[in-house]
Amino acid sequence: MSIRVFQLLTVRLPAALEDEVMGQLYLAGTLGCEARDEAPGRLAIVAWFDEVPPPELLAGWAEQGVEVVGVAPLAEQDWLGGYRAQVRPFALGRGFFVDPREPDEAAVEVPAGRALLRLPARTAFGIGSHESTRLALELLEDTPVAGCRVLDVGTGTGILAFAAEALGAASVTAFDIDPVAALVARENQGLNRAVVPRAPRFFAGEINALAPSARFDLLLVNVIPAEVAAVFAELANRLSPRGRWIFSGVLLEQEAELTTNLAPLGLEPEARHEEGEWVAVRFRRV
Ligand SMILES: C[S@@+](CC[C@H](N)C(=O)[O-])C[C@H]1O[C@@H](n2cnc3c(N)ncnc32)[C@H](O)[C@@H]1O
């Protein structure tokens, strides 16, 4: 794979010249610029170019008070490629083993008693390396899932939906506002037929896309509370009587407020797991 090399031009200038200099940089074909304060009334601007910027751009700047610090090459980094090269299979919860490598990699030996989930580390969130996913999955393993109708809100890679299927859910519906996530999750099901023979019902969209009559016995929500606060009531209404809601993606400092906000919806906390600054709480409809 060829590595793209950018040319980074750095200049220092009086703040009053920012608009003028930015305008000239764009006319000269910059891919983008970033300005940062250096001192009161002084700025530095770093501008990205595909080629060394044209000398005529720099020519008249000194007399305007713009100091050209230099032009330096910067190789594009394939961040995801580097990350992928480092990822290794790992045990998750009591009963799962995640292989985040590409599907064409050699098979790994799965420890006895664990179910293999192949979840290539790509763009969608949720290969189990983040505390919030781990905590949600651990609570899920502690929850009676067999026979439940499960709704996975913000499914990402589909990891929690697959775990719920593997744990014997009667049905699993899963959605994500990110359309890429829903596609990735469907692809991932194809990689995991051995453990998840029946595909969860994946869709891209929001809670209001569900049939008005759809009800669930278990909600899986690993989403930062602020991102779903507007639909707390709608989600709670989807729960069957005595239904459960596993809420992860919660910082310890947000737990009390979350509990207070869900109480008027008839939800009481009944179990929790925490790790570092994160907590997952299981609520029950009373
Ligand atoms: C932290 S990730 C969780 C992914 C996976 N379920 C897991 O446990 O690792 C949160 C996901 O929720 C999605 N999301 C955020 N707000 C949402 C909303 N209001 N409705 C549905 N999905 C949402 C994001 O696109 C993202 O994929």
Side-chain angles (χ1 to χ4, degrees):
M1 189 185 73
S2 70
I3 303 229
R4 190 173 174 190
V5 178
F6 298 104
Q7 300 294 333
L8 266 60
L9 164 68
T10 305
V11 293
R12 292 205 178 98
L13 64 157
L17 290 181
E18 180 180 359
D19 290 347
E20 166 66 23
V21 169
M22 287 276 202
Q24 290 183 32
L25 288 166
Y26 277 103
L27 285 175
T30 183
L31 302 165
C33 342
E34 190 188 354
R36 57 167 191 270
D37 292 327
E38 286 239 302
R42 299 281 306 169
L43 289 179
I45 294 180
V46 178
W48 296 57
F49 287 88
D50 260 332
E51 308 283 341
V52 173
E56 56 273 22
L57 170 71
L58 318 178
W61 276 359
E63 60 245 39
Q64 294 176 44
V66 180
E67 176 200 348
V68 177
V69 179
V71 178
L74 181 77
E76 180 182 38
Q77 306 230 14
D78 178 8
W79 296 110
L80 199 55
Y83 173 61
R84 276 188 200 155
Q86 286 175 23
V87 290
R88 298 274 175 272
F90 55 94
L92 183 66
R94 285 195 303 273
F96 293 92
F97 190 72
V98 174
D99 186 353
R101 301 167 312 146
E102 286 301 296
D104 55 4
E105 301 265 0
V108 282
E109 195 171 324
V110 181
R114 291 187 177 269
L116 174 67
L117 288 177
R118 301 205 72 151
L119 300 169
R122 293 183 185 155
T123 47
F125 187 103
I127 60 163
S129 54
H130 192 268
E131 291 94 327
S132 66
T133 309
R134 275 203 296 275
L135 290 166
L137 188 126
E138 287 165 14
L139 263 187
L140 181 62
E141 289 185 319
D142 285 350
T143 303
V145 180
C148 283
R149 295 162 294 172
V150 176
L151 179 66
D152 179 21
V153 177
T155 194
T157 57
I159 185 167
L160 299 178
F162 299 142
E165 277 284 353
L167 292 168
S171 67
V172 180
T173 304
F175 68 96
D176 202 296
I177 45 167
D178 176 358
V180 175
L183 286 175
V184 168
R186 252 184 230 124
E187 257 178 46
N188 285 341
Q189 194 269 330
L191 298 174
N192 288 292
R193 288 210 176 89
V195 173
V196 191
R198 187 185 50 176
R201 284 181 222 127
F202 287 118
F203 72 90
E206 299 189 43
I207 180 77
N208 57 14
L210 287 169
S213 59
R215 292 291 176 276
F216 302 90
D217 309 304
L218 178 60
L219 300 188
L220 306 175
V221 184
N222 176 13
V223 184
I224 292 166
E227 288 185 14
V228 277
V231 289
F232 277 178
E234 167 83 352
L235 289 168
N237 281 338
R238 298 292 181 159
L239 267 181
S240 58
R242 308 289 296 155
R244 292 183 163 102
W245 174 339
I246 293 177
F247 207 138
S248 195
V250 182
L251 290 168
L252 282 173
E253 68 205 36
Q254 299 170 328
E255 184 180 2
E257 187 187 351
L258 179 68
T259 304
T260 305
N261 290 340
L262 293 184
L265 303 173
L267 290 155
E268 273 185 0
E270 62 168 10
R272 66 192 289 289
H273 279 207
E274 66 172 72
E275 183 184 335
E277 55 184 346
W278 296 93
V279 62
V281 185
R282 193 176 69 215
F283 293 89
R284 183 134 205 213
R285 195 162 183 195
V286 289

